[in-house]
Amino acid sequence: FTASMLEPYCDGHGHPTDNSGISFVPPELLNQAAPLLDELGFQLHFHAIGDRAVRECLDAVEHAIARNGRNDHRHHIAHLQVVHPDDVPRFRELGVAANMQSLWAALEPQMVELTLPFLGSPRDAWQYPFGDLLRSGAVLAAGSDWSVSTPNPLAAIHVAVNRVSAPGEKEGEYPPFLPEQAIDLATSLTAYTAGSAYVNHLDETGTIAVGKLADFALLDRDPFAGPAEEIGATRVLQTFVEGERVHAAGDA
Ligand SMILES: [Zn+2]
């Protein structure tokens, strides 16, 4: 009940309550602070869980653009748990990157027992709308939100593609969660590599190309070659940073 929502939470039995959650930063303050931070050259990195939170973050960037014009700060919003459909196209319009933590876009006990009954229809279906964001033309970036979540991007990519938890992360058997919001493997991998590099202004990495830093991981399989249901079983054999091996499977 801490996510800030446009409409009150349900009581779990189909009735509304008088609780709409909290805005961690009041919107009036956010709309004052965002243009000032933007003007000073700061990148705005929001974590927004409810549909009101997402809207207030987008509004704040809109205020910044109105005052300062557009720039290359690459502001982004993480979590994106509940996004009102009216706000989906605003990511592209405002140049705000959608920063996905796709590991959570699956049915599991926390979603089924603690979330869906308290959101109610239709907004229970507005969760993690990565497919809609992609189709709207938004820039997709991705991250883990570690340490509250696994840092393993392959487990999260598994969910982005399949909308079910990866093998080994599963608690019970559930059908895909809002499968129309699934995104393909290439898009998901791009978000977790080039997209993350983009929002971090790391333009010298994120893709493998002549002239870029040799930052890459060597996997135990080609995830494009196998069935999508096995993406999450992919393991990293070696990791290189600027051409130097920093991890090898079996290292202590
Ligand atoms: Zn967070």
Side-chain angles (χ1 to χ4, degrees), residues 9-24:
Y9 286 98
C10 302
D11 65 0
H13 305 283
H15 304 107
T17 66
D18 59 2
N19 176 18
S20 299
I22 52 167
S23 291
F24 195 78

Side-chain angles (χ1 to χ4, degrees), residues 113-135:
E113 294 164 26
L114 297 179
T115 306
L116 296 178
F118 303 101
L119 290 180
S121 179
R123 61 187 175 176
D124 53 353
W126 298 348
Q127 295 191 79
Y128 308 113
F130 307 142
D132 285 345
L133 286 160
L134 173 67
R135 289 182 284 274

Side-chain angles (χ1 to χ4, degrees), residues 47-49 78-79 101 104 145 148:
H47 285 228
I49 298 181
H79 287 261
Q101 287 67 42
W104 307 326
D145 212 48
V148 300

